[in-house]
Amino acid sequence: MSQCMSSLNPPKTLINPKISIKKPSFPSIFTFKTRPRFQKLTTISASVMPSQNQDHPPLSLDSLISSSRKDELFGSIKSSLSNCLSETNLHLTVPGLKSKTRGKVRDIYDSGDYLVLVTTDRQSAFDRILASIPFKGQVLNETSLWWFDKTRHITSNAVVSSPDKNVTIAKKCSVFPVEFVASLGGSCDAFVSQIVKRGLMTQADYDEASRKALSLFEYGQHIALEHGLILVDTKYEFGKANDGSVVLIDEVHTPDSSRYWIANSYDERFQNGLEPENVDKEFLRLWFKDHCNPYEDEVLPDAPADLVCELAWRYIFLYETITKSKFEMPLMEEPIHDRISQNVARSLASLQ
């Protein structure tokens, strides 16, 4: 059975960023895209019923830029700059782990019956690592787990357990070499038959995964809007479990796999021809583009600490806004790698 571990960390942005904007209160048309791995992106379109809830909570960009919660967390963020989880080597510390695959953000370990996915604090762009962002791995892992749980009525998933704030243990499955990317607006091509013709998926599997991706995006839009955000675009991955079922894998609606706009200000900015207020990492990418050639320079400059801290806060802000729960800072008395090793070892032993 193909595990396709490297496919668990695909590029985040696969769509044309110059999408046509649809009003978030009426997301009646969006583009649904699939891409064979390393092949041309292909798309189909689909319709979604408009959201019935058009009242946006008073979430604003001010709450991101300046808030008591930001002031509360910024000290812990700054003090953790030198204690990020940039690399793991669990195959050297946890009995039974057979191999390690290093993705852009996740370190993936083969335990025989399961995969152990450790979400690190690495920040990637330009096909390389730019920095390590305090608590990013925990945010991504816990955000995905929240969405995995909330979307069980749409699709089953590969999650077995989460023994640590940065770790998910998942069932092994055959990963389909196709990404399903959904976005508001956009153009449409009619070449999705390539997926089946080239043997990347059967027609039945493709139809089921497509249906699930569409439902996930509609549901994600609904929940995001209820929480004051617009889910602009995202990507999904699916695999086939041992029982033949199509299951959701990888990550779901995280700040790395998705783009979010602030809903409360969208209508006014749309009417005035202004860009929507967004919550993303673009400011860090722009700093590197302004200070070096991130595609060609062998050594990159260190990202400024204030920008790293700001990005860490944005990840936490999105987690708290999406889940409506308070982010729990990890205890720092124990080295992170030791903590993860012990938690994973105990969990795997219990699964034997």
Side-chain angles (χ1 to χ4, degrees):
M1 177 180 295
S2 171
Q3 295 163 26
C4 300
M5 293 183 188
S6 61
S7 70
L8 294 176
N9 285 274
K12 178 200 170 199
T13 305
L14 297 176
I15 63 172
N16 186 334
K18 297 180 180 179
I19 60 174
S20 59
I21 299 174
K22 302 294 179 182
K23 299 193 57 83
S25 300
F26 304 95
S28 57
I29 299 293
F30 66 85
T31 299
F32 174 65
K33 304 185 177 184
T34 61
R35 181 180 78 97
R37 293 283 174 192
F38 311 114
Q39 299 294 324
K40 179 182 177 182
L41 182 68
T42 55
T43 69
I44 61 173
S45 65
S47 298
V48 177
M49 293 299 293
S51 170
Q52 298 301 312
N53 181 9
Q54 298 177 26
D55 296 324
H56 304 158
L59 180 69
S60 69
L61 195 61
D62 289 341
S63 62
L64 170 64
I65 296 173
S66 177
S67 69
S68 58
R69 180 60 172 159
K70 181 177 181 178
D71 294 339
E72 178 185 344
L73 295 177
F74 231 66
S76 296
I77 292 172
K78 287 182 178 179
S79 64
S80 299
L81 285 171
S82 61
N83 195 33
C84 292
L85 184 64
S86 301
E87 194 72 38
T88 66
N89 290 288
L90 299 190
H91 57 303
L92 303 179
T93 60
V94 177
L97 293 185
K98 300 178 179 180
S99 63
K100 171 186 174 180
T101 301
R102 188 181 191 272
K104 291 181 179 178
V105 175
R106 291 174 181 82
D107 291 340
I108 306 167
Y109 298 89
D110 184 352
S111 73
D113 294 328
Y114 306 99
L115 294 180
V116 177
L117 295 84
V118 184
T119 310
T120 73
D121 297 329
R122 297 191 293 263
Q123 184 69 45
S124 68
F126 311 108
D127 294 323
R128 62 196 302 179
I129 303 302
L130 299 183
S132 291
I133 311 299
F135 311 121
K136 177 192 172 183
Q138 179 180 339
V139 166
L140 294 183
N141 191 56
E142 293 186 341
T143 301
S144 269
L145 290 170
W146 189 86
W147 280 110
F148 276 129
D149 182 64
K150 294 295 183 182
T151 57
R152 291 182 186 277
H153 65 291
I154 297 174
T155 178
S156 56
N157 57 66
V159 175
V160 174
S161 66
S162 178
D164 186 272
K165 296 178 182 295
N166 290 71
V167 179
T168 294
I169 295 180
K171 303 172 187 175
K172 279 187 175 180
C173 61
S174 295
V175 179
F176 297 121
V178 175
E179 282 180 350
F180 293 76
V181 181
S183 70
L184 291 168
S187 60
C188 179
D189 297 324
F191 302 106
V192 295
S193 60
Q194 294 180 31
I195 305 295
V196 175
K197 287 182 178 179
R198 297 187 60 229
L200 300 176
M201 300 180 73
T202 66
Q203 187 67 57
D205 288 341
Y206 177 80
D207 290 343
E208 181 176 354
S210 299
R211 175 181 55 79
K212 288 181 174 181
L214 296 173
S215 297
L216 286 166
F217 189 57
E218 179 183 6
Y219 182 74
Q221 287 180 308
H222 173 73
I223 296 298
L225 197 58
E226 282 188 340
H227 296 184
L229 296 168
I230 300 171
L231 176 61
V232 184
D233 52 47
T234 193
K235 60 91 180 171
Y236 307 105
E237 291 195 44
F238 297 91
K240 200 160 192 176
N242 289 334
D243 62 3
S245 61
V246 174
V247 298
L248 182 64
I249 63 169
D250 195 34
E251 58 186 332
V252 189
H253 299 161
T254 72
D256 266 14
S257 67
S258 316
R259 286 192 300 160
Y260 288 94
W261 292 337
I262 293 179
N264 196 47
S265 61
Y266 178 83
D267 286 342
E268 180 179 354
R269 296 183 70 85
F270 180 87
Q271 295 299 329
N272 290 296
L274 300 175
E275 289 291 323
E277 293 180 326
N278 62 75
V279 188
D280 60 32
K281 60 188 178 185
E282 184 64 16
F283 67 92
L284 187 64
R285 295 181 76 260
L286 291 176
W287 185 90
F288 276 95
K289 289 185 71 174
D290 290 341
H291 291 81
C292 63
N293 185 333
Y295 291 105
E296 297 181 6
D297 290 353
E298 185 175 346
V299 179
L300 299 183
D302 292 334
D306 59 336
L307 296 188
V308 171
C309 290
E310 176 62 29
L311 186 53
W313 157 241
R314 291 189 179 211
Y315 274 102
I316 295 173
F317 174 86
L318 273 175
Y319 169 81
E320 294 190 338
T321 302
I322 291 168
T323 67
K324 293 300 180 185
S325 60
K326 182 171 287 190
F327 180 76
E328 294 185 8
M329 290 288 180
L331 298 176
M332 305 306 292
E333 291 84 357
E334 184 179 20
I336 301 175
H337 198 278
D338 291 350
R339 183 200 78 200
I340 292 175
S341 297
Q342 294 170 15
N343 288 337
V344 169
R346 281 195 295 266
S347 181
L348 292 177
S350 69
L351 291 172
Q352 298 301 318

